[in-house]
Amino acid sequence: MLKIIQAIRGMNDLLPDVLFAWRHVEQVLRDIVESYGYREIRTPIVESTALFQRSIGEVTDIVEKEMYTFEDRNGDSLTLRPEGTAGCVRAGIEHGLFYNQVQRLWYQGPLFRHERPQKGRYRQFNQFGVEAFGMPGPDIDAEMILMTARMWQKLGLSEHVTLQLNSLGDRESRKEYHEKLVAYLSKHHDQLDEDSQRRLHTNPLRVLDSKNPDMQSLIQNAPKLLDEIDAESRAHFDRVRFLLDQAEVSYVINPCLVRGLDYYSRTVFEWSTDCLGAQSAICGGGRFDYLVEQLGGHVAPAIGFAIGLERLIALLEHFHLIPVSDLVPDIYFALVGVEAEDKGLLLAEHLRDALPSVKILMNASNGSLKSQLKKADKSGATLALILGANEIEQEVIAVKFLREEKDQVVVSMDELISFLEKEFVN
Ligand code: ATP
Ligand code: MG
């Protein structure tokens, strides 16, 4: 027997039954960010490998072991994007979107990371993200966080998510802290796992990001970057906190929140839930004031976040907050006999012209009246229109009410549109 080819592990098909929920969620997020002035950007799924090495950082989980990297037919090293910010910044520099300008951008689409597939962790997954450029002040940080809070509110999730906040300070304060952290971690070298021992000298901050339960107490007791950040970053952070307090958005300060990528500075934040098991983060973001410069552009302060759509939708499903599909037809059009099939197609088109808001499902590839009416019932349609040789001869159409205890009626062709208008258009 032929072997059936299956999807790649960790890469999911999204079938029609779940896509209604996806589209609903995407629409809610899109409407909210657009009401804050964000405009859509679409960048390629494939970029030069160097882009991610230079932005995310060489010694990060993503670049070290999660990227889908391949040589194309020209011998160039390309990578399926593992996150959205790098491509967005690359495009902005390339098209001169940042120099002396303010930009608010949003994007959505698939990302690729070669992680171990499990609930909430896939190899192809989808993010909805925003990035704002050219605004150094704490007000945009606060506005962005308020915008995410509004999303949870709109989706009915506010009670089930919590916000963690931290500041990573500027470049210099990170450098100074680096030495303290290395000294501390070196003292406890035997408690570090293999990854962390390797990172001790290449990227010690990443050690704080470790999810290894055996290292959590070591991490909790490490010196805190938040205690060491520069005065300006401190003032920036205090102001973000003040603005959030004023808006009554609650948060927890987590001095160990460093986020997985190298490019962050100052404010970092993460929304998480305790209802999804280990894969608890649904949205992560932060400031990346040096990235545009690091990728060859003029200095442009920036901040952004990304929402993991699979996890967000799983959370909505968990609380039964997923709307039910409204893609049921209004009319099922049964066509009995060759003559009816010939006329039916055009009649259905004519009805669609006259009543564009009415959903019409035409029975195709014939069948007995009985089987067609069975399909009509199953489709969820309100009415069945029945056209057969008799109806054609008498220039009428039969109307069967599928959801009401009402007798079948016969409507003349001339009156069909006004009859249907009364039924479906208010
Ligand atoms: P985690 O700590 O769970 O690995 P992360 O810090 O790697 O998350 P980000 O790079 O900040 O995640 O991406 C933003 C969001 O994208 C996450 O909060 C999460 O909801 C989602 N996400 C990240 N990786 C995956 C994945 N492999 N599968 C599904 N969703 C993911
Ligand atoms: Mg990760």
Side-chain angles (χ1 to χ4, degrees), residues 103-116:
Q103 289 289 351
R104 285 176 165 88
L105 305 173
W106 70 266
Y107 64 85
Q108 182 197 314
L111 292 307
F112 302 83
R113 295 184 193 173
H114 196 275
E115 303 195 73
R116 192 170 72 77

Side-chain angles (χ1 to χ4, degrees), residues 117-162:
Q118 53 199 293
K119 185 169 173 269
R121 194 173 292 290
Y122 309 105
R123 290 181 171 173
Q124 175 172 339
F125 61 100
N126 290 273
Q127 285 184 349
F128 182 97
V130 311
E131 321 282 3
F133 297 89
M135 291 166 275
D139 45 358
I140 186 71
D141 305 32
E143 188 193 59
M144 205 170 257
I145 292 169
L146 294 183
M147 188 162 77
T148 52
R150 186 179 295 278
M151 292 170 173
W152 318 140
Q153 160 104 49
K154 178 86 188 170
L155 292 167
L157 288 174
S158 300
E159 314 261 282
H160 311 299
V161 291
T162 49

Side-chain angles (χ1 to χ4, degrees), residues 223-369:
K224 303 280 178 284
L225 173 52
L226 190 55
D227 297 334
E228 320 271 334
I229 60 173
D230 57 294
E232 260 186 66
S233 295
R234 162 77 50 200
H236 184 103
F237 191 51
D238 288 345
R239 183 83 186 148
V240 174
R241 293 184 57 175
F242 168 78
L243 293 169
L244 292 179
D245 291 339
Q246 192 182 249
E248 295 178 12
V249 169
S250 37
Y251 53 85
V252 178
I253 303 289
N254 175 3
C256 296
L257 180 71
V258 295
R259 312 264 310 116
L261 323 177
D262 264 0
Y263 52 60
Y264 288 111
S265 52
R266 292 199 169 163
T267 315
V268 287
F269 63 96
E270 204 163 273
W271 287 94
S272 55
T273 173
D274 45 24
C275 307
L276 290 181
Q279 271 51 259
S280 59
I282 60 161
C283 168
R287 226 171 224 290
F288 47 97
D289 289 341
Y290 309 116
L291 183 59
V292 178
E293 189 188 12
Q294 206 172 304
L295 290 177
H298 293 276
V299 183
I303 177 167
F305 67 78
I307 295 171
L309 289 175
E310 279 79 1
R311 291 186 200 175
L312 178 60
I313 283 161
L315 191 59
L316 288 164
E317 272 167 0
H318 182 83
F319 289 106
H320 306 290
L321 293 167
I322 289 287
V324 202
S325 168
D326 71 348
L327 284 175
V328 284
D330 297 306
I331 295 171
Y332 193 93
F333 198 5
L335 305 169
V336 191
V338 179
E339 207 186 337
E341 281 168 25
D342 291 349
K343 290 226 169 0
L345 182 67
L346 288 186
L347 180 57
E349 287 302 305
H350 180 56
L351 294 177
R352 290 181 181 114
D353 288 340
L355 307 163
S357 65
V358 177
K359 298 189 198 83
I360 303 173
L361 194 62
M362 188 190 76
N363 190 86
S365 304
N366 52 51
S368 69
L369 177 60

